[in-house]
Amino acid sequence: MSVDTTTQTAPPFTATVPGTARIGANRELKRAVEGYWAGRSDRTALETVAADLRRESRRALVAAGIDSVPINTFSYYDQVLDTAVMLGALPPRTAAISDRLDRYFAAARGGPAHDGADSVAPLEMTKWFDTNYHYIVPEIGPDTSFALDATKVLAELAEASADGVVGRPVVIGPITFLALSKAVDGADAPLTRLNEVVALYADLLGRLAEAGAQWVQIDEPILVTDAADDLPGRAGKVYATLSAVAVRPAILVQTYFGDARESLAALAATDVEAVGVDLVAGGPESVVAAGLGDKVVVAGVVDGRNVWRTDLDAALATLESLRGSVGSLAVSTSCSTVHVPYTLAGEDGLDEVLRGWLAFASEKHDEVVALARGYANGRDGESEAFDAASAALASRAGDPRLYIDSVRNRLAALSSADWTRPDSATRRTVQDAALNLPALATTTIGSYPQTTDIRKARQALRTGAIDEAEYTRRMRAEIADVVALQEKVGLDVLVHGEPERNDMVQYFAEQLDGFFATANGWVQSYGSRCVRPPILFGDVVRSAPMTVEWIAYAQSLTAKPVKGMLTGPVTILAWSFVRDDQPLADTANQVAFAIRDETVDLERSGAAIIQVDEPALRELLPLRAADREAYLAWAVTAFRLSTAGVADATQIHTHLCYSEFGEVIGAIADLDADVTSIEAARSHMEVLADLNGIGFANQVGPGVYDIHSPRVPAAAEVTASLREALAAVPADRLWVNPDCGLKTRTTDEVAEALTNMVTAAHAVR
Ligand code: GLN
Ligand code: ZN
């Protein structure tokens, strides 16, 4: 029996991670690929940086005591795109580019016209489950002919072996790959091609065995969702097939981001050797129930996607609860550490106390090893690590910044009156009288171009080349320019342009107590782009107004209304690392109170319209349908709490973008904003039909043109968009605005596009 032979030859392991970051502790890969794209450096330079990063990553894991090292977790751009390459599934439009790497980058980012060939449109990008990482969405058309191309994984395996490491190749599994792909050109759902693709994975297993791989990790995070029919059934079939391959490495099927439940039982019934589970998101109960008594269970007890130090005693107790129910056990992080910063080393600016509460990737790798040793030999041998962890935990639990009476009392007194405004028709009447706006009122979403001058000013403030006063002077000059531009174009409701905000969540986090920023806590968001999420560690207090001066200044320059511009509680949570010691709903309400206080101050300073953006409303939506209602309930409450403190005459706007809204459409209505601006240009106003379908009666501004492209829409195009919108929504409820903020565009593009938008609005009026 080949299966038994494989099991015997596959060496056991005790400590691992499902994957690691690849961008480099100092974002070396970002610089290298961007240099390559810009033509500043050559291929060899890029490949050298990449090889160095892979080597460092392997060595760091080995040095930490990780005894099964994942490989093929490197990526020049994205692991789903790498999988598309491995399966021969790049879109045909990239085929004319003969160079492998350039073809790959063209699929990711688009490519210019060259050698008489057309320019190449990039693949779409979307969020990786409920994380802030974005993957490239493969396109599967009727003509996609899958073919195995194992070049990358074999090269990384050989490279590791040459370095003395028998790596465990990691690939995304067939079910997850197809479930995350998109059918194009009338093709059937990609999952209908599962058998074909599984045959390639069977070939891959043979190739890997031949090349000396003892283990392979196949990632199937889709199994923690209910994104497709009968995932457990499919998992059972696919892994029965793959585990029946005669010559192959031992197989670890890895799940993460949730509880795979029935799929675990389905995998238990196959001959795969190991199953990886996320025991931070899910409990050990499913593992026990699944009957994994003859499998290796890779137990993800260290949180791979948040920054807190692990309660090692609690994690060890979880591991102990599995003893006897599993064949053997290896300790791991709950998911790849690509979702957290590299290391605390170098975070010298952090408050020492706070620093002690944290574990970034390299510290998490140490925690995994301490737990593996504790599980094998008892806590005593590891008491130093365990004691330090409990001391850190006690320090965190006892810190006064986590329990501020004024915040707690306010939360305790919360009642529905705090998040309920009088009915929207009543509000509408007083707002119309106060604002006196035309039908089809024109406005923008908030940001205007982040010009070189703005960036230079920010840089100069950071280095101390200019002081606060000079910085404020320069930002005011930008605001004055943006107000003048809007007046010239003839918009009805103006904004200040957000020049002072580089990243909006960071901007508010910097001004609120309860958050802190890292010096180097970068996390890959997509491709070469990284973000540095703030860490929300304590009770949230707004000690002073955050935006009032900027808005009031803009208002002083014009007779038209200027919208106050704030970010909503759900979005602030979604783009931060959040505390894990209380329900997210409570944290959201604390942030909501801070935003509410700001709306009240804005109103007092004369703002008649205030926008509270919630672009990330859809992002935190739970992966299992059954959990969604509860999430949406607290998300809606937090938003309403943040906006219900103003008078009826003050008009509340919100803005939503970046997503398919189908699943949250009811929640959008429940937000009860007076005006909702929403991305729609690319989805052709479908969202309006959906809103009508649930009887939404407030005002709405579907984006009439796409701001993601530098292309300036002609007035006629905007007119067509508007007429399309008018077919769904009457003029007295319809606003005219772009899809999203304008910060990524140039001033010239913006001036021209907005002029055309206003022309179209006037024509239709
Ligand atoms: N007001 C923000 C802006 O215009 C909204 C950002 C967003 O939707 N992501 O930039
Ligand atoms: Zn937006």
Side-chain angles (χ1 to χ4, degrees):
M1 274 292 290
S2 59
V3 170
D4 291 338
T5 321
T6 320
T7 315
Q8 280 157 19
T9 56
F13 60 92
T14 64
T16 193
V17 284
T20 59
R22 57 246 178 170
I23 203 81
N26 295 303
R27 291 177 293 157
E28 292 86 347
L29 186 62
K30 172 189 177 68
R31 292 201 187 91
V33 290
E34 288 177 358
Y36 176 73
W37 294 338
R40 285 193 303 270
S41 56
D42 65 6
R43 177 70 59 93
T44 318
L46 174 57
E47 288 175 348
T48 306
V49 169
D52 287 348
L53 287 171
R54 290 192 294 263
R55 184 180 346 97
E56 271 165 40
S57 165
R58 290 190 302 263
R59 292 196 173 168
L61 291 176
V62 170
I66 297 287
D67 57 3
S68 178
V69 173
I71 59 152
N72 198 42
T73 51
F74 174 81
S75 181
Y76 278 115
Y77 202 95
D78 166 55
Q79 71 273 11
V80 179
L81 183 58
D82 294 328
T83 313
V85 171
M86 182 180 88
L87 299 172
L90 284 190
R93 62 180 178 274
T94 62
I97 304 169
S98 55
D99 179 81
R100 274 183 79 87
L101 188 62
D102 291 343
R103 184 164 64 233
Y104 173 84
F105 284 140
R109 327 169 46 232
H114 66 289
D115 307 337
D118 286 344
S119 64
V120 174
L123 290 168
E124 276 177 24
M125 186 169 72
T126 195
K127 271 169 54 78
W128 177 241
F129 297 87
D130 57 353
T131 73
N132 277 331
Y133 178 80
H134 300 72
Y135 72 93
I136 297 288
V137 185
E139 292 177 0
I140 310 297
D143 300 330
T144 303
S145 58
F146 295 107
L148 181 66
D149 174 354
T151 315
K152 176 179 183 289
V153 56
L154 290 174
E156 290 187 28
L157 183 62
E159 178 189 71
S161 303
D163 197 24
V165 176
V166 183
R168 182 181 82 242
V170 177
V171 293
I172 290 178
I175 309 174
T176 297
F177 175 79
L178 290 172
L180 297 182
S181 295
K182 160 179 167 184
V184 293
D185 303 332
D188 289 336
L191 270 173
T192 56
R193 313 271 307 259
L194 190 56
N195 290 345
E196 240 176 287
V197 170
V198 168
L200 300 190
Y201 278 81
D203 289 350
L204 174 70
L205 293 177
R207 300 285 300 277
L208 291 174
E210 201 177 295
Q214 296 167 324
W215 279 95
V216 62
Q217 173 183 324
I218 309 184
D219 285 2
E220 292 285 17
I222 200 74
L223 299 181
V224 311
T225 73
D226 27 40
D229 290 343
D230 191 22
L231 287 169
R234 292 181 205 258
K237 278 199 209 105
V238 166
Y239 288 94
T241 305
L242 291 179
S243 58
V245 168
V247 180
R248 61 168 177 84
I251 297 173
L252 160 61
V253 181
Q254 179 71 47
T255 65
Y256 39 82
F257 302 147
D259 189 332
R261 297 183 204 163
E262 300 85 351
S263 289
L264 297 180
L267 292 169
T270 71
D271 286 327
V272 301
E273 285 73 15
V275 177
V277 292
D278 180 337
L279 292 174
V280 175
E285 298 77 14
S286 313
V287 178
V288 172
L292 293 160
D294 64 343
K295 307 284 187 226
V296 179
V297 166
V298 176
V301 287
V302 170
D303 195 342
R305 51 186 294 192
N306 208 338
V307 291
W308 306 108
R309 203 160 165 166
T310 305
D311 180 344
L312 293 182
D313 283 302
L316 186 60
T318 303
L319 297 171
E320 287 298 348
S321 75
L322 293 175
R323 207 186 281 276
S325 303
V326 301
S328 68
L329 191 143
V331 182
S332 180
T333 49
S334 61
C335 60
S336 167
T337 52
V338 73
H339 305 292
V340 290
Y342 268 76
T343 173
L344 280 168
E347 292 293 343
D348 302 328
L350 277 183
D351 170 326
E352 265 314 302
V353 176
L354 292 175
R355 197 176 191 280
W357 304 346
L358 300 174
F360 291 173
S362 75
E363 294 79 25
K364 285 176 190 289
H365 301 157
D366 293 339
E367 291 180 333
V368 164
V369 172
L371 282 165
R373 291 183 182 150
Y375 182 75
N377 312 318
R379 184 195 195 276
D380 289 353
E382 295 301 310
S383 56
E384 207 181 310
F386 278 71
D387 292 344
S390 32
L393 221 75
S395 151
R396 196 177 150 202
D399 196 284
R401 290 169 291 185
L402 272 63
Y403 305 95
I404 295 176
D405 284 345
S406 57
V407 177
R408 298 282 153 171
N409 294 341
R410 207 171 170 193
L411 274 179
L414 196 59
S415 79
S416 65
D418 295 320
W419 65 76
T420 312
R421 299 181 83 194
D423 73 276
S424 58
T426 308
R427 286 164 7 218
R428 173 97 205 231
T429 312
V430 278
Q431 288 167 19
D432 282 355
L435 290 166
N436 198 17
L437 293 166
L440 301 177
T442 53
T443 190
T444 52
I445 305 306
S447 59
Y448 274 70
Q450 285 271 322
T451 60
T452 331
D453 283 351
I454 296 176
R455 284 179 218 283
K456 276 197 194 137
R458 221 187 317 279
Q459 168 87 16
L461 178 68
R462 229 183 353 251
T463 61
I466 61 170
D467 60 9
E468 266 313 321
E470 172 61 12
Y471 177 74
T472 302
R473 199 193 61 73
R474 293 194 194 178
M475 291 300 122
R476 285 183 165 221
E478 293 289 339
I479 291 173
D481 286 351
V482 165
V483 169
L485 169 68
Q486 296 172 89
E487 294 231 317
K488 178 156 174 266
V489 164
L491 291 160
D492 300 310
V493 172
L494 312 196
V495 295
H496 79 296
E498 306 179 24
E500 78 289 8
R501 302 176 200 176
N502 175 18
D503 175 290
M504 62 193 195
V505 169
Q506 206 171 315
Y507 181 76
F508 288 103
E510 271 167 14
Q511 302 188 66
L512 290 168
D513 294 347
F515 286 85
F516 64 89
T518 63
N520 200 35
W522 295 98
V523 177
Q524 187 177 21
S525 169
Y526 65 87
S528 67
R529 202 179 138 77
C530 299
V531 293
R532 201 158 39 107
I535 299 178
L536 200 178
F537 72 94
D539 279 358
V540 176
V541 175
R542 188 200 72 136
S543 47
M546 305 181 283
T547 64
V548 172
E549 276 181 34
W550 302 120
I551 307 296
Y553 174 66
Q555 187 64 78
S556 75
L557 302 173
T558 175
K560 299 256 179 82
V562 173
K563 271 195 278 193
M565 196 55 62
L566 302 172
T567 301
V570 180
T571 299
I572 290 182
L573 254 56
W575 295 350
S576 302
F577 289 115
V578 292
R579 56 194 296 185
D580 60 356
D581 59 345
Q582 65 181 20
L584 262 184
D586 293 350
T587 310
N589 283 339
Q590 291 192 7
V591 176
F593 271 127
I595 302 299
R596 178 187 181 99
D597 293 347
E598 187 72 11
T599 62
V600 170
D601 280 341
L602 278 168
E603 181 182 64
R604 195 171 298 148
S605 80
I609 306 182
I610 300 168
Q611 177 171 313
V612 179
D613 292 322
E614 283 291 21
L617 180 69
R618 168 77 180 68
E619 293 192 9
L620 292 183
L621 195 68
L623 298 174
R624 296 275 192 187
D627 304 329
R628 292 188 184 153
E629 200 183 307
Y631 159 70
L632 290 171
W634 71 250
V636 165
T637 300
F639 175 86
R640 290 175 59 154
L641 180 60
S642 72
T643 52
V646 294
D648 298 357
T650 299
Q651 190 172 62
I652 295 292
H653 289 216
T654 190
H655 168 69
L656 302 154
C657 61
Y658 299 141
S659 38
E660 304 269 318
F661 296 107
E663 285 164 312
V664 300
I665 205 83
I668 294 175
D670 292 344
L671 295 178
D672 196 30
D674 297 300
V675 181
T676 301
S677 72
I678 190 161
E679 180 176 357
R682 284 188 299 183
S683 62
H684 302 295
M685 307 283 172
E686 278 159 31
V687 66
L688 293 183
D690 291 347
L691 282 170
N692 283 343
I694 55 156
F696 183 71
N698 293 4
Q699 301 176 70
V700 58
V704 290
Y705 78 88
D706 180 9
I707 58 87
H708 299 88
S709 134
R711 214 178 63 85
V712 172
E717 265 174 66
V718 181
T719 306
S721 255
L722 258 178
R723 292 209 187 280
E724 211 182 333
L726 274 169
V729 174
D732 67 346
R733 288 209 289 119
L734 194 63
W735 283 66
V736 181
N737 47 258
D739 248 352
C740 193
L742 303 168
K743 72 187 215 182
T744 57
R745 301 270 63 90
T746 67
T747 305
D748 288 347
E749 285 160 10
V750 164
E752 214 184 316
L754 293 179
T755 304
N756 294 349
M757 186 182 89
V758 170
T759 306
H762 288 172
V764 177
R765 271 180 208 162

